[in-house]
Amino acid sequence: MPKRSGVVSDPRAPGAVSERDIVPRSPSRRDFIRGSLAFAGGALATGGAMVAGTGIARAAALPVPPSNQSMGRPIPQQMYGMPSKYEAHVFRERSSVFKNRQNFSDWSMTPLQHQTGIITPNGLNFERHHAGTPDIDPATHRLVIHGMVKQPLVFTMEDITRYPSVSKFYFLECSGNTLTDWTKAASPTVQQSHGLLSCTQWTGIPVSWLLDEAGLLPGAKWVAFEGADGSGHTRSIPIEKVLDDCLLVYGQGGEMLRPEQGYPLRLFIPGWEGNVSVKWLRRIKVGDQPWHFRSETARYTDPMPGGKWRQFSFVMECKSVITNPSGGMKLKGPGLYEILGFAWSGRGKITAVDVTVDGGRNWQEAQLEEPVFDKCLTRFRFRWKWDGSPAVIASRAVDSTGYVQPTVEQIGKVRALTGFVQHHNGIFPWAINSAGEVKNAVA
């Protein structure tokens, strides 16, 4: 496990914000806001005047906009709401780095740079399919449980939704997230480098409840979950994890699952690589050993030193990334900025995030924003005074087990970084040049 080192509180460190610069927490953030506006054009600074003899500042009158002078759109009788037309630049996007030649076994990525808070809007959760998106009628869908159980069972969706439900906040990350950027700067934006990541509230029932109904036989150690899509995607999961916190979910982000997220029913395994949370779930089989499906031999395995391959590398290790500023953005000039990002861990809660603005020579602790949940995205913030000179920024997360997000060099000492390598949780840098342009700084 990498050790956390080099965290400094020295205000003389490059880019450090001194005690004088540190803005008190809400409600007073005036210094930071004033500093930001100063280099942004000073709109407020030049838009007002002092009232003679009173010491009171008065803002210049704003022009009355057309929206104040007419009725808005009428309220429809029925509709499903959509984002403002001025947010049309926010969308899921297929990879522009690793392009597939077909449209069915592919993925589209979440625009993390535009996400506010820790919850990903349902329409922006990343997609990963092995045979396209099926449309399944919940009225005819069935889930069967069989294998090493006392009595096989078949459930309708109505049966499942009659159980008392639970709702949990968890992140979901594909094991292939960031795989194109191990040793070269391939992805231009954080959406392309880290966008196989989402976070939402999942609603359903624990898998253990239905296994209790079926009754496990002695010797049951593994459980196979199979989807109803064209690929019949299937994974073997140790029964300890299944009984611990795995869910059968039909709700996501306050609505029923969307088709691309597994409608009407999917498995959800907190903290583990996304492909094990089998979508469009139709079958659960209990056994005494793993099945070694194609997804566990030809796919979702990791190259190791000596030519060996690692199976069942389920856990998504502690990881973080700066989302603002990030690739493709441009700073407007020297001054105060708030560096924003996400941190997460499949082993527990995030306990700290360090930020460097000098390429890793010095690290300073960022502020974690509440709420901080187990196996959930955590937002971090770091106030930085940029002096206009070139800089390399990055983040480093620590989780509740004490695990410290490693560098790529540290990962390379225990794994073979060659070919289609997954589980990239290394520290990820962005470079800012003197013009304020932000670019991928891997290698």
Side-chain angles (χ1 to χ4, degrees):
M1 177 185 298
K3 294 183 178 178
R4 184 186 182 205
S5 61
V7 181
V8 299
S9 57
D10 185 353
R12 296 167 297 182
V17 178
S18 69
E19 286 299 318
R20 182 179 178 182
D21 298 318
I22 295 175
V23 183
R25 293 181 181 178
S26 181
S28 177
R29 295 188 172 182
R30 289 177 296 177
D31 291 345
F32 184 80
I33 294 171
R34 193 158 49 219
S36 301
L37 289 173
F39 63 76
L44 290 185
T46 59
M50 299 296 291
V51 178
T54 66
I56 300 173
R58 176 175 293 173
L62 290 173
V64 179
S67 59
N68 274 145
Q69 303 176 59
S70 61
M71 301 296 287
R73 293 193 303 273
I75 301 173
Q77 186 65 32
Q78 294 178 329
M79 72 173 297
Y80 206 110
M82 299 295 290
S84 164
K85 63 181 180 181
Y86 301 108
E87 299 300 319
H89 59 289
V90 180
F91 46 76
R92 275 194 302 241
E93 185 176 13
R94 292 174 62 187
S95 172
S96 60
V97 181
F98 188 87
K99 294 182 179 179
N100 282 324
R101 296 181 180 179
Q102 41 71 42
N103 301 322
F104 298 102
S105 179
D106 204 358
W107 51 82
S108 63
M109 312 177 85
T110 296
L112 298 175
Q113 68 274 31
H114 297 304
Q115 181 175 322
T116 62
I118 60 173
I119 302 303
T120 308
N122 283 344
L124 296 178
N125 278 257
F126 79 89
E127 300 174 82
R128 174 69 174 105
H129 313 314
H130 299 88
T133 303
D135 283 311
I136 298 176
D137 183 350
T140 60
H141 188 66
R142 298 291 184 270
L143 173 69
V144 63
I145 298 179
H146 68 126
M148 294 181 66
V149 295
K150 295 176 182 175
Q151 57 175 346
L153 297 174
V154 178
F155 296 88
T156 66
M157 285 305 301
E158 184 177 356
D159 295 331
I160 291 170
T161 54
R162 287 184 65 182
Y163 282 86
S165 64
V166 298
S167 294
K168 303 281 188 179
F169 291 93
Y170 291 123
F171 78 83
L172 178 67
E173 183 183 20
C174 176
S175 59
N177 203 20
T178 325
L179 70 78
T180 57
D181 294 82
W182 281 98
T183 56
K184 62 179 181 179
S187 301
T189 69
V190 72
Q191 180 172 9
Q192 295 297 323
S193 65
H194 289 73
L196 296 176
L197 170 72
S198 305
C199 184
T200 192
Q201 186 183 40
W202 304 92
T203 298
I205 63 174
V207 182
S208 60
W209 292 1
L210 300 192
L211 292 180
D212 282 344
E213 298 267 16
L216 294 174
L217 292 176
K221 295 182 179 179
W222 287 79
V223 184
F225 295 89
E226 181 183 275
D229 62 322
S231 74
H233 180 62
T234 315
R235 289 302 310 258
S236 308
I237 306 298
I239 199 163
E240 293 83 2
K241 178 67 173 177
V242 175
L243 297 179
D244 179 29
D245 60 2
C246 294
L247 300 174
L248 297 174
V249 299
Y250 47 80
Q252 177 181 6
E255 64 180 10
M256 301 304 279
L257 289 171
R258 295 194 173 193
E260 65 268 28
Q261 296 299 327
Y263 183 88
L265 184 69
R266 73 176 298 175
L267 172 67
F268 188 83
I269 302 185
W272 285 17
E273 58 187 25
N275 72 82
V276 298
S277 290
V278 176
K279 297 187 283 189
W280 313 291
L281 187 67
R282 65 180 294 269
R283 188 163 71 99
I284 298 175
K285 183 176 182 180
V286 181
D288 59 358
Q289 56 186 325
W291 282 260
H292 301 291
F293 298 114
R294 176 174 179 270
S295 54
E296 296 159 353
T297 53
R299 288 177 178 265
Y300 303 116
T301 56
D302 308 310
M304 303 295 284
K308 296 184 177 180
W309 288 73
R310 178 176 68 174
Q311 280 184 285
F312 305 122
S313 52
F314 295 122
V315 176
M316 300 309 294
E317 300 285 8
C318 184
K319 187 173 178 180
S320 70
V321 67
I322 291 173
T323 57
N324 194 328
S326 59
M329 296 182 179
K330 184 176 182 180
L331 304 186
K332 295 180 179 178
L336 287 172
Y337 288 90
E338 186 173 51
I339 293 175
L340 299 173
F342 292 118
W344 61 101
S345 173
R347 295 188 183 278
K349 290 184 178 180
I350 293 298
T351 57
V353 176
D354 305 321
V355 168
T356 180
V357 295
D358 59 6
R361 290 190 294 275
N362 296 281
W363 293 88
Q364 301 168 76
E365 190 159 349
Q367 177 186 359
L368 304 186
E369 182 177 272
E370 296 290 343
V372 178
F373 293 137
D374 182 73
K375 302 178 182 66
C376 184
L377 283 193
T378 296
R379 170 71 83 180
F380 66 85
R381 301 175 179 274
F382 180 79
R383 289 162 190 162
W384 176 45
K385 181 185 287 183
W386 183 47
D387 63 8
S389 59
V392 176
I393 62 175
S395 60
R396 178 179 66 183
V398 185
D399 71 16
S400 51
T401 70
Y403 180 95
V404 181
Q405 184 181 359
T407 63
V408 170
E409 290 74 22
Q410 289 171 323
I411 298 173
K413 293 179 181 178
V414 294
R415 296 175 55 195
L417 303 185
T418 179
F420 202 74
V421 187
Q422 306 192 54
H423 284 268
H424 180 347
N425 69 315
I427 292 171
F428 197 94
W430 301 108
I432 303 170
N433 63 21
S434 57
E437 298 166 334
V438 187
K439 294 184 178 179
N440 186 333
V442 171

